[in-house]
Amino acid sequence: MLARLQQAVTLGLIALALAWAAYFYRAGSPVWAVAGALLIVFGYALFLAIEFVLLWFVNRGDPTPNATAWQLVKAWWGEVRTAPQVFCWRQPFRADAEPDFLPPGAQRRGVVLVHGFVCNRALWNPLMARLRALGIPFVAVNLEPVFGSIDRYAQVIEAAVRRVESATGQAPIVVAHSMGGLATRAWLGAYQADARVHRVITIGTPHRGTYLGRFGLTHNTRQMRPSSAWQEALAAAEPPQRFQRFTCFYGHCDNIVFPASTATLPQADNKHIAGVAHVHMAHHDEVVNEVLRWVATADSTSDARREPGATPAR
């Protein structure tokens, strides 16, 4: 569903830009023709800039170290380059380019990949290609309905975890970006699945909501509002020791989840990534290295304990 929607948006914007350019060029206004077409195609960069201005204001009261102006500009430019790759090419047209990888007789620990809001499994295409090259089994989910309740995604994650368990005989690592981390927490609660996951790695997840959630109109975006009833009910039902299985990546240049510290959890291994925006963060080297590190660890009674040096949530 999401792929078709993003195909329509992408092709519609291109058609609109061409129609605008053709109309004003024929009307003898080449400047308007070029300027309007560029604004239609690259107008998203202005919306991203507004998000970065908001995060700068909101993060000033957060305990996370504030980003410098140069870090914010670099993060904005990184997101300007990343967003069209993800939302205008990879997700609309390459959603099935990297199929799930569960080779017969797999002996290695597997990975379940969970995307975030208005994304699909193609968000993970670069990581899936790397995992396949390394022989690491994986399943990437599509969270649907796209604008439904986060609770409904628990069954999607359960099905993916069961597939990896069956293929490998081992508890998988769940890697979740943005809203996907909340969906993973909902799955853990719904299925009491703590013993069935080796590690949960969240990337820019609004564990305690996000400032932008207050502008959301869909069911799942309302659930991501700070201190929403859904957020409070989720947290109240969770045992504190659960988060010892979590690595939480967060950043002071995350243009979707801010204040930055809302992407951390108590007792988790909270890792700050400086100068990187929200979507770009999903493929940061530190994230990929963390995934590969946990793939290589053996099952033991210490799996659920945080490693030495893990940082507390702020």
Side-chain angles (χ1 to χ4, degrees):
M1 173 183 173
L2 181 71
R4 292 193 294 271
L5 176 61
Q6 291 184 338
Q7 286 172 11
V9 171
T10 299
L11 296 175
L13 286 173
I14 293 172
L16 180 60
L18 291 174
W20 176 285
Y23 176 83
F24 281 95
Y25 184 81
R26 290 175 181 173
S29 302
V31 173
W32 278 104
V34 173
L38 289 175
L39 182 61
I40 292 169
V41 173
F42 296 106
Y44 73 94
L46 298 178
F47 287 98
L48 288 173
I50 293 171
E51 290 175 352
F52 278 92
V53 171
L54 280 174
L55 84 84
W56 179 76
F57 275 104
V58 173
N59 272 346
R60 289 186 301 175
D62 194 67
T64 305
N66 289 336
T68 66
W70 179 237
Q71 285 177 317
L72 290 170
V73 170
K74 287 176 63 179
W76 168 80
W77 178 240
E79 205 75 342
V80 167
R81 291 184 290 111
T82 300
Q85 296 176 36
V86 173
F87 297 104
C88 299
W89 173 242
R90 198 182 300 162
Q91 292 185 165
F93 303 105
R94 302 285 291 170
D96 298 316
E98 293 288 345
D100 295 337
F101 180 60
L102 295 173
Q107 299 296 313
R108 305 192 66 177
R109 186 182 305 283
V111 177
V112 174
L113 299 165
V114 186
H115 63 77
F117 182 63
V118 293
C119 288
N120 64 22
R121 66 186 304 281
L123 169 75
W124 302 109
N125 279 1
L127 180 56
M128 289 192 285
R130 184 164 180 180
L131 293 176
R132 188 187 310 275
L134 294 171
I136 299 170
F138 64 81
V139 169
V141 304
N142 281 319
L143 299 181
E144 294 185 346
V146 176
F147 303 114
S149 170
I150 295 173
D151 292 310
R152 296 184 64 179
Y153 305 143
Q155 60 188 343
V156 179
I157 298 173
E158 171 67 11
V161 169
R162 285 186 178 275
R163 289 180 63 199
V164 176
E165 285 175 330
S166 177
T168 67
Q170 301 184 65
I173 295 157
V174 177
V175 181
H177 181 248
S178 195
M179 182 191 70
L182 294 176
T184 300
R185 287 170 59 192
W187 163 71
L188 285 168
Y191 291 89
Q192 293 301 298
D194 297 76
R196 295 172 53 213
V197 65
H198 185 59
R199 192 71 176 176
V200 176
I201 299 172
T202 68
I203 311 154
T205 289
H207 287 299
R208 296 193 299 280
T210 173
Y211 182 89
L212 291 182
R214 65 191 63 200
F215 305 111
L217 300 176
T218 66
H219 194 148
N220 43 15
T221 55
R222 292 197 301 270
Q223 290 172 320
M224 289 186 279
R225 292 174 179 173
S227 301
S228 71
W230 184 87
Q231 291 261 348
E232 292 180 351
L234 177 68
E238 292 172 308
Q241 67 272 18
R242 174 172 292 168
F243 301 140
Q244 295 174 6
R245 290 184 179 270
F246 279 63
T247 299
C248 300
F249 286 96
Y250 67 108
H252 58 189
C253 289
D254 188 328
N255 54 303
I256 298 297
V257 178
F258 54 87
S261 63
T262 59
T264 66
L265 286 169
Q267 300 191 49
D269 185 2
N270 297 298
K271 296 179 180 288
H272 183 255
I273 298 180
V276 180
H278 187 70
V279 177
H280 198 185
M281 194 185 299
H283 300 287
H284 193 275
D285 286 345
E286 289 186 37
V287 173
V288 175
N289 290 338
E290 181 76 357
V291 174
L292 298 180
R293 183 171 74 88
W294 282 100
V295 165
T297 58
D299 283 310
S300 73
T301 56
S302 64
D303 279 353
R305 294 199 298 267
R306 191 179 67 226
E307 291 196 339
T311 55
R314 295 175 181 266

